[in-house]
Amino acid sequence: MKKIGVLTGGADCPGMNSVLRAVVRKAVSEGYVVTGIKNGWTGLAQNDMRVLDLQIVSGILDRGGTILGTSRIIPPLKDSMNQQIADNFKRSGMDALIAVGGEDTLKIALELYEKFDLPIIGVPKSADNSLTGTDYAFGFDTAVNIATQCIDRLHTTAESHHRIIVIEVMGRYTGWIALEAGIAGGADIILVPEYPVNIDLVCDSLRARHKRGKTFSIIVIAEGAVIEGHSNQQEHEENIRNHRVSRVGEMVADLIESKTGFETRVSVLGHIQRGGAPTSFDRIISTRFGFYAIELIKQDKYGFMVAIHKNKLNAFPIKDAVSKHKAIEPDIYEIAKVFAA
Ligand code: F6P
């Protein structure tokens, strides 16, 4: 019999509850008990926990957010908090801990694993899909689908008014949401952090479209996108690191309107991309991730993040998962470029 702790940390997103349900269902089938830690790492520091049983996780597969609550903590943690977490974990009698989270949550998990030898397994949550080592993190597919629906809606109004609409999506350091939602929504221009652009070239593309009779355009821009000569790189990176809104969409819209004279509007999709029910894809990978996390605990295999590659689950070192962001590669970006202008 094992006692397993589970927490959800960082930005919430649809699929967290699906993971919790899967963890509990699979753990119970193995004869294990599960303790849910409230509000991410904060809950472990404050000893705020509750038992999770089959009844508590019943009916939450399709529920957005997290029944455990979450908190945002930017790593590294203060030594005193690290120590507090390690002490509380050891006192709790737990044999293993599942940390469901993205880059920040997993960086803390890594520190606790390396410095205090805590037996931790990570589950990749990232609406931004920025974690290295896994083809997908849960939350991303839902964000892309929500953003695509919004682009579809903005398309019809842009066309009717002969306007340019700049749609700013989330993504922090990476442009995956912008790229995939942009392609799915038929965006005319997609701007991502991985490939800084010159605003004059963007304006040339828009003018060329107008000349062809397309008097409206849809630009999808990732919040972390960089505009050559206009982004204050240092301030921009600082904002992104601290999860502060960058307002890059507004800046681009102002530049376009003043340079081209085309009427331009901005729509910042924001947290709507992380709300509501997970897509079926996210429900499925969340369920598989939760199930597999317990499999790894059965094997006493720690310091790994559950990952999916070519539709097969595997254990990927947390250390490598958080070492760099999974950036958009040139071959995928080429697809987006073909549709510009
Ligand atoms: O990392 C997920 C994410 O949604 C980013 O895309 C965004 O920059 C950030 O979280 C927003 O953070 P918060 O919910 O703290 O405003």
Side-chain angles (χ1 to χ4, degrees), residues 1-20:
M1 209 272 273
K2 280 184 168 158
K3 189 173 169 189
I4 295 163
V6 61
L7 60 82
T8 51
D12 77 327
C13 73
M16 277 179 155
N17 285 327
S18 323
V19 174
L20 295 175

Side-chain angles (χ1 to χ4, degrees), residues 239-253:
N239 282 342
I240 295 284
R241 189 164 41 252
N242 293 316
H243 303 278
R244 285 205 304 270
V245 180
S246 65
R247 305 202 187 286
V248 68
E250 252 171 61
M251 180 182 80
V252 164

Side-chain angles (χ1 to χ4, degrees), residues 11 72 128 170-172 223 243 271 274:
R72 264 234 187 268
D128 310 332
M170 282 185 165
R172 244 184 136 187
E223 62 182 350
H243 303 278
H271 293 83
R274 293 194 343 228

Side-chain angles (χ1 to χ4, degrees), residues 49 62 105-106 108 110 114 161 164 197 204 206 213 258 282 316 327 332:
M49 309 172 192
D62 59 347
T105 303
L106 295 183
I108 295 169
L110 179 66
E114 287 183 337
H161 282 270
I164 293 170
V197 293
D204 286 348
L206 297 171
S258 65
D282 273 338
F316 189 79
I332 317 176

Side-chain angles (χ1 to χ4, degrees), residues 62-257:
D62 59 347
R63 202 159 124 196
T66 163
I67 58 166
L68 287 179
T70 184
S71 58
R72 264 234 187 268
I73 302 183
I74 313 281
L77 288 187
K78 285 197 182 119
D79 286 346
S80 56
M81 188 164 174
N82 257 336
Q83 188 66 56
Q84 183 81 49
I85 289 175
D87 290 348
N88 286 347
F89 177 82
K90 282 173 187 159
R91 262 198 299 269
S92 72
M94 288 189 264
D95 301 290
L97 178 63
I98 300 173
V100 182
E103 182 190 340
D104 293 339
T105 303
L106 295 183
K107 277 188 176 156
I108 295 169
L110 179 66
E111 213 174 321
L112 292 163
Y113 170 72
E114 287 183 337
K115 286 198 190 147
F116 296 90
D117 209 19
L118 294 201
I120 299 186
I121 288 293
V123 170
K125 170 240 60 151
S126 171
D128 310 332
N129 204 28
S130 59
L131 285 163
T132 293
T134 185
D135 292 348
Y136 291 101
F138 74 82
F140 172 64
D141 186 66
T142 307
V144 168
N145 274 282
I146 294 170
T148 303
Q149 285 167 20
C150 293
I151 295 168
D152 288 348
R153 287 172 192 276
L154 291 164
H155 234 126
T156 58
T157 164
E159 187 167 10
S160 307
H161 282 270
H162 313 283
R163 282 174 175 159
I164 293 170
I165 299 194
V166 177
I167 304 165
E168 184 184 303
V169 299
M170 282 185 165
R172 244 184 136 187
Y173 301 99
T174 60
W176 288 104
I177 300 178
L179 181 82
E180 296 213 356
I183 292 172
D188 305 300
I189 291 175
I190 299 172
L191 305 176
V192 295
E194 290 88 336
Y195 300 92
V197 293
N198 180 315
I199 195 70
D200 291 322
L201 296 181
V202 171
C203 291
D204 286 348
S205 292
L206 297 171
R207 287 189 199 98
R209 259 179 71 79
H210 270 238
K211 265 202 187 128
R212 282 193 289 123
K214 294 285 187 187
T215 55
F216 72 97
S217 294
I218 293 289
I219 300 178
V220 176
I221 183 165
E223 62 182 350
V226 175
I227 309 302
E228 284 170 4
H230 292 277
S231 302
N232 176 337
Q233 197 62 27
Q234 211 181 342
E235 191 187 321
H236 191 58
E237 277 171 21
E238 183 70 11
N239 282 342
I240 295 284
R241 189 164 41 252
N242 293 316
H243 303 278
R244 285 205 304 270
V245 180
S246 65
R247 305 202 187 286
V248 68
E250 252 171 61
M251 180 182 80
V252 164
D254 286 349
L255 285 168
I256 289 171
E257 198 166 58

